[in-house]
């Protein structure tokens, strides 16, 4: 309001004008408050966490664990949406071009460190279209066989395969998947020849493996442990540097004659890079808190998965190091996408 002294020296019309202008300015300032509050209140609706693979694999276990914990503090529900197809490319493209600022994706060794080197053209750019949020988990890879095979150890398996070149089939969740890489890596170091049978996801592949239509596979520990404990699959080696507490009697590949061998899968949260920086920062803080929480650590430990929860900068550096590691492996194994000549 204008001061009484100044108002007394002004014509009444000017006093009324100044009063109206002052009131309008106050109203404008008040109107801006809800907008600022709305921006600070992101997310304004449930977050959709897309998993680019079929249900039943390690990816779903990791995604559901971190989504449930994030939902407790981020202010909205976080629901998991499985979108398999084309080695994860369909889901990656969908999230890359999404505009709702509430759709994120579970990044993976395959979609971020493998697909850029096995596809001549991708519908997304792994480094440009996505902002790394946090590395949620590293998952040990296990090597398993159908229990009817006369095999107890990795040495047995290699000898059995060498005596039957091209007669054994191993399955994976698809060309370029972590399981495909893991088994090609083992084939290279052991100088064995087996046929690869790609599936659309880990679940259907495991169904055929347990039915005896496949002889072997390498899959993340969370998806395999229940079947190993039930005697439906036999684990002959782990891809980790040390033995797993859940499988203390199973030696690593390195222990069984292949020094330095190590293979783990990994999963991390990614968001479209065009998101506002404030949204990315809030998502990073909440995701790190969730991944490091006691409940997520315990949940993943039950599945023999390691919770990580690093910063976005650390995750970005990790992705680049993995890309550098797997590029020569892919070239050596001549891994190509399904349908490629």
């Amino acid at each position: 309001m204008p001061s009484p002294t100044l108002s007394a020296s002004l014509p009444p019309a000017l006093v009324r004008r100044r009063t109206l202008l002052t009131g309008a300015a106050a109203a404008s300032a008040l109107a801006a408050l809800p907008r600022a509050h709305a921006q600070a209140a992101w997310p304004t609706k449930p977050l959709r966490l897309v998993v680019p693979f079929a249900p039943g694999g390690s990816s779903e276990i990791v995604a559901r664990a971190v989504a449930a914990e994030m939902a407790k503090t981020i202010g909205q529900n976080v629901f998991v949406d499985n979108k398999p197809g084309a080695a994860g490319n369909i889901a990656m493209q969908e999230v890359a071009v999404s505009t709702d600022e509430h759709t994120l994706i579970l990044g993976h060794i395959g979609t971020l460190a493998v697909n850029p080197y096995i596809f001549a053209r991708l519908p997304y750019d792994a480094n440009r279209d996505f902002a790394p949020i946090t590395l949620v988990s590293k998952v040990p890879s296990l090597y398993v066989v159908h229990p009817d095979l006369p095999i107890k150890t990795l040495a047995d398996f290699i000898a059995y395969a060498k005596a039957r070149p091209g007669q054994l089939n191993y399955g994976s969740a698809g060309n370029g998947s972590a399981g495909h890489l893991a088994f090609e890596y083992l084939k290279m170091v052991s100088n064995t020849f087996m046929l690869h049978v790609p599936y659309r996801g880990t679940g259907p592949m495991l169904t055929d493996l347990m039915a005896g239509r496949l002889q072997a596979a390498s899959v993340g520990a969370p998806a395999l442990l229940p079947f190993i404990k039930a005697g439906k699959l036999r684990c002959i080696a782990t891809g980790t540097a040390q033995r797993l507490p859940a499988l203390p009697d199973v030696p690593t590949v390195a222990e069984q004659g292949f020094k330095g061998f190590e293979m783990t899968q990994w999963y991390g949260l990614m968001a479209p890079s065009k998101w506002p920086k404030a949204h990315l920062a809030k998502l990073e803080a909440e995701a790190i808190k969730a991944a490091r929480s006691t409940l997520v650590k315990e949940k993943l430990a039950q599945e023999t998965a390691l919770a990580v929860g690093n910063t976005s900068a650390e995750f970005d550096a990790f992705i680049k190091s993995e890309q550098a590691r797997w590029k020569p492996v892919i070239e050596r194994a001549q891994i190509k996408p399904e349908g490629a000549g």
Side-chain angles (χ1 to χ4, degrees):
M1 295 288 291
S3 67
T5 304
L6 180 60
S7 297
S9 63
L10 293 174
L14 287 178
V15 172
R16 287 196 299 273
R17 177 177 173 80
R18 287 195 56 176
T19 302
L20 288 173
L21 289 173
T22 303
S28 178
L30 289 173
L33 288 177
R35 288 198 298 271
H37 176 72
Q39 291 176 356
W42 181 92
T44 59
K45 62 180 182 179
L47 289 169
R48 174 181 170 228
L49 173 53
V50 178
V51 175
F53 305 104
S58 305
S59 57
E60 186 177 21
I61 294 169
V62 171
R64 292 193 181 280
V66 73
E69 191 65 19
M70 283 176 59
K72 296 178 181 178
T73 59
I74 203 168
Q76 291 286 345
N77 185 33
V78 183
F79 68 94
V80 174
D81 186 10
N82 291 87
K83 288 282 182 177
N89 294 341
I90 293 175
M92 292 291 281
Q93 180 186 24
E94 179 183 332
V95 176
V97 300
S98 65
T99 58
D100 67 350
E101 295 179 1
H102 286 74
T103 300
L104 54 153
I105 195 161
L106 190 71
H108 174 253
I109 179 176
T111 56
L112 297 173
V114 176
N115 288 2
Y117 306 113
I118 69 171
F119 288 90
R121 287 185 298 274
L122 281 179
Y124 66 93
D125 186 303
N127 298 320
R128 186 188 63 215
D129 293 340
F130 296 93
I133 303 300
T134 188
L135 178 63
V136 176
S137 178
K138 290 184 177 180
V139 179
S141 291
L142 308 181
Y143 292 87
V144 295
V145 297
H146 189 275
D148 286 348
L149 290 182
I151 291 166
K152 302 294 184 184
T153 67
L154 181 60
D156 291 343
F157 180 66
I158 291 172
Y160 192 82
K162 285 188 174 181
R164 299 163 180 79
Q167 296 180 35
L168 299 185
N169 298 327
Y170 80 90
S172 79
N175 279 337
S177 66
H180 186 193
L181 287 174
F183 228 97
E184 287 300 321
Y185 189 12
L186 180 64
K187 283 171 59 179
M188 284 188 290
V189 300
S190 63
N191 193 29
T192 51
F193 173 46
M194 287 167 275
L195 297 179
H196 173 225
V197 182
Y199 284 75
R200 294 190 65 184
T202 300
M205 185 276 293
L206 287 178
T207 298
D208 273 7
L209 177 58
M210 288 185 285
R213 289 185 283 271
L214 298 169
Q215 285 75 52
S218 178
V219 182
L224 285 180
L225 281 177
F227 303 117
I228 293 171
K229 293 177 179 179
K232 295 180 179 179
L233 295 172
R234 179 178 297 132
C235 186
I236 58 173
T238 70
T240 47
Q242 292 84 32
R243 294 194 186 196
L244 299 176
L247 298 169
D249 297 327
V250 178
T252 67
V253 174
E255 282 184 273
Q256 300 185 72
F258 301 96
K259 186 177 180 180
F261 187 103
E262 186 172 359
M263 172 65 197
T264 58
Q265 299 185 34
W266 49 266
Y267 303 90
L269 294 182
M270 310 288 287
S273 57
K274 59 181 176 287
W275 275 21
K277 290 183 178 179
H279 294 3
L280 294 173
K282 182 173 183 179
L283 182 61
E284 178 185 355
E286 295 295 335
I288 290 174
K289 183 164 56 179
R292 294 179 180 177
S293 69
T294 300
L295 284 177
V296 168
K297 286 182 179 178
E298 291 178 348
K299 171 64 176 175
L300 296 183
Q302 291 171 4
E303 307 290 348
T304 320
L306 173 67
V308 181
N310 59 8
T311 66
S312 59
E314 290 169 334
F315 186 26
D316 183 52
F318 175 78
I319 292 170
K320 289 179 170 58
S321 70
E322 284 288 281
Q323 290 172 342
R325 180 162 80 98
W326 286 109
K327 182 180 179 181
V329 174
I330 293 163
E331 290 175 346
R332 183 178 177 185
Q334 297 183 341
I335 296 174
K336 297 180 180 180
E338 294 177 23

